[in-house]
Amino acid sequence: MQIDFIKCQGSGNDFPLIDGRALALDDATWSAIAIALADRAGPVGGDGLLVLVAGNGDAAFGQRMWNPDGSESETCLNGLRCVARLGFEATGLAEARVSLPTSVAQAAIADPLAPGVVTIRTDVGPVSTRTADVGLRIDAPELIDSPIPGLPSERRFTAVAMPNPHLVTFVDTLDEAELVALGDWCEAAPPLIPGRANVSFVTVDDGELFVRTYERGVGLTDSCGSAMGASVFAAGLTGRIGFGAPVTVRNRGGRVVASASQDARIAIAGNASFEYDASVDVDLANATAGPVTLRHRRDDERAAWQQALGTLSD
């Protein structure tokens, strides 16, 4: 099966992006395509597969996202910016309501973070702190800056459903070995959280956040948009930042500007960069991809983002 796609990235989260509005494929087929295209050892590689789909209800269009292991995620906020950009280009809109598998979001074209960097603002929520929504099987109805009984860590976590599940803890220094060990434990789908979870270690420095995440279905990642959103909300809940004010959130992939409100809505403005347009043959039976046929390189966008990384790191 030949697939046309755009290779894109949001804050360093890179994905193959497919316009799937005219494709009548079942979930098993999409899962196989995700495994084939997101494979880092394959010809494309990525942190998952993004698909622009038709919208539900009053949504102009929608997003679906599959992880590299073939599992579907409820949301992906770095990816949402890229999907929204493609949706805007397809519809001629500058802002729209976007349907997600279990929620909805608002998206709009925003002022560029840096020259030549296409920037999209998304607004999601209300997010939830109910432990049942996060998938934690504990007695407490919510968990804010508290230890989690049964978790192999004494750190204090805040649990947030974006709606995908997040466990956020604030640390003085980042210990990646500790993060990976805890992420691996959650990835094994233990009885405490059988749906697994994204785990983030977050530092706060002069009002800015730095987020390092073990992403469900992915592993340790340089960037996770929903984790950045969950971290901003958790920082507001725990008094580390104020609600309503924009805050810079950094990760190894780049930077976004985000804010959280007391009514549990989260806004994020960040890049939605397209790197190249291409097609690839996918062997659905084996979930593998053949050679890529490059159709169009977007070197100006790649250069603008590389230039921006130096500016945004200041």
Side-chain angles (χ1 to χ4, degrees), residues 163-187:
N164 59 336
H166 288 266
L167 303 178
V168 177
T169 185
F170 295 92
V171 300
D172 294 327
T173 57
L174 291 167
D175 185 330
E176 286 194 358
E178 180 189 358
L179 174 57
V180 169
L182 189 55
D184 284 344
W185 188 87
C186 290
E187 193 70 1

Side-chain angles (χ1 to χ4, degrees), residues 89-110:
E89 292 181 357
T91 62
L93 298 172
E95 61 179 297
R97 189 172 176 87
V98 186
S99 61
L100 307 174
T102 62
S103 61
V104 294
Q106 291 291 136
I109 298 172

Side-chain angles (χ1 to χ4, degrees), residues 8 50 62 77 92 95 122 134 287 289:
C8 63
L50 298 173
L77 295 190
E95 61 179 297
T122 60
V134 178

